[in-house]
Amino acid sequence: MSTTLLSHETTTGPAPTALLAPRLYRPDHLAELVRPSEGPRLWLVNLAAGAAEPDPTALLDAGERARATAFRSPLDRAHFMASHCALRRILGAHLGRAPEDVRLSQADCPVCDAGHGRPAVEGSSLQFSLSRRAGYCLIALARTPVGVDLEAHPALEVADELAGSLHPREQVLLEQAPPERRAAVFARVWARKEAYLKGLGTGLAMGAAHVYVAEGAQVPDWSLYDVAAPSGLAAALAVKEPATAGT
């Protein structure tokens, strides 16, 4: 895996655990994006500082331009366009295509068959996931289904209110966390859950209590990781394990 490992406090105490550190995205370093890697690759994009394009709409397709126009906030609109421009530059560098020539689509949802499943790159088996929050964007690429998520630490009362929607074992983690850590613990658990569900392509269609994903969870066929994130944010990566011979 091209990312590096750091350490952080666990949700229940000070013992260190593995933490993936994404590469900081710089559009002028595209050559670094195509270095061979056997595992998933991660980039953190600072949308406020440096992902500007002379004409971002030139790289986006009609669907992306329509989604951008739907944002009422000019800042949200700009961040959406910057994140998708970065995604297209990363995908284009890997595929040997111009960013504007990368064709994106959406698979059907495994639960309801509607067209809101995992995003896909037409004409390629390359998998990707994107999450945007609070002026940052996290992008992952992999050769198997992948999901990433960025979450802001909520207010304590919000964390307490939403805790009841989690898996029962995750609710216990929240109850055991000291008040000053509870919002951060909730954000980390929720980020792992969203990353996994995005990797599946189901979103929250099955509910947030469907599977236990907190630190140490064993999810069949999937690997879950906490990811280093800016202060006040939590991030996670979920990647499906490659199929082995005979399966």
Side-chain angles (χ1 to χ4, degrees), residues 24-34:
L24 295 178
Y25 170 79
R26 291 184 58 184
D28 55 339
H29 283 188
L30 289 178
E32 295 184 6
L33 303 180
V34 296

Side-chain angles (χ1 to χ4, degrees), residues 2 23 32-35 37 39-43 94 139-141:
S2 64
R23 182 181 299 274
E32 295 184 6
L33 303 180
V34 296
R35 292 188 302 179
S37 174
R41 306 201 68 191
L42 279 168
W43 293 269
H94 277 79
I139 295 172
L141 263 60

Side-chain angles (χ1 to χ4, degrees), residues 149-170:
D149 192 57
L150 271 172
E151 292 293 334
H153 294 180
L156 179 58
E157 57 270 22
V158 174
D160 288 341
E161 179 180 351
L162 294 177
S165 65
L166 299 175
H167 186 280
R169 292 173 61 192
E170 295 163 351

Side-chain angles (χ1 to χ4, degrees), residues 211-236:
V211 64
Y212 175 72
V213 299
E215 192 171 303
Q218 299 295 314
V219 181
D221 301 324
W222 287 80
S223 296
L224 305 179
Y225 304 92
D226 292 328
V227 175
S231 178
L233 296 175

